[in-house]
Amino acid sequence: MARTPLPYTTENNLSRRLSLLQAKRISERGGAKVNISEIEKEVADYCGVSRDTIVMIKRGVNQPSLPLALKICEFFGAKVEDIFTLVDS
């Protein structure tokens, strides 16, 4: 069965959220380096998905399912609309 294209997509600021968390952790560690890939892996583990899934969502290649979007927002302590927005195609 062919998949029907949706009349909308999502945009996200997941990259920004990850960068802000990275900066916070660098500050907490007194300037010690914190790789963004470590944080992506932490988010992925929390959500029960692979790091590749988080990276693909961050880049806008994939759209998250509703449960995954909610788990990502839960990780950051944010509302869904603070990270994900709908965009009409």
Side-chain angles (χ1 to χ4, degrees):
M1 180 187 253
R3 186 172 176 195
T4 305
L6 299 173
Y8 54 84
T9 60
T10 60
E11 287 183 354
N12 69 73
N13 67 8
L14 187 54
S15 182
R16 181 174 176 272
R17 289 285 176 154
L18 291 165
S19 294
L20 288 172
L21 184 55
Q22 180 186 32
K24 179 182 175 192
R25 294 213 176 143
I26 289 170
S27 176
E28 290 171 351
R29 296 180 184 181
K33 186 175 179 179
V34 176
N35 289 327
I36 198 76
S37 61
E38 294 172 16
I39 298 171
E40 292 166 349
K41 177 74 171 118
E42 188 177 334
V43 174
D45 290 346
Y46 183 85
C47 295
V49 297
S50 70
R51 179 179 162 263
D52 287 342
T53 298
I54 297 301
V55 170
M56 297 298 262
I57 292 168
K58 176 179 87 168
R59 291 181 180 164
V61 175
N62 290 347
Q63 296 185 45
S65 65
L66 179 57
L68 180 53
L70 292 171
K71 282 301 277 186
I72 291 169
C73 293
E74 183 180 84
F75 178 87
F76 288 104
K79 295 184 275 185
V80 173
E81 58 269 19
D82 291 341
I83 298 179
F84 299 99
T85 55
L86 283 177
V87 178
D88 292 327
S89 296

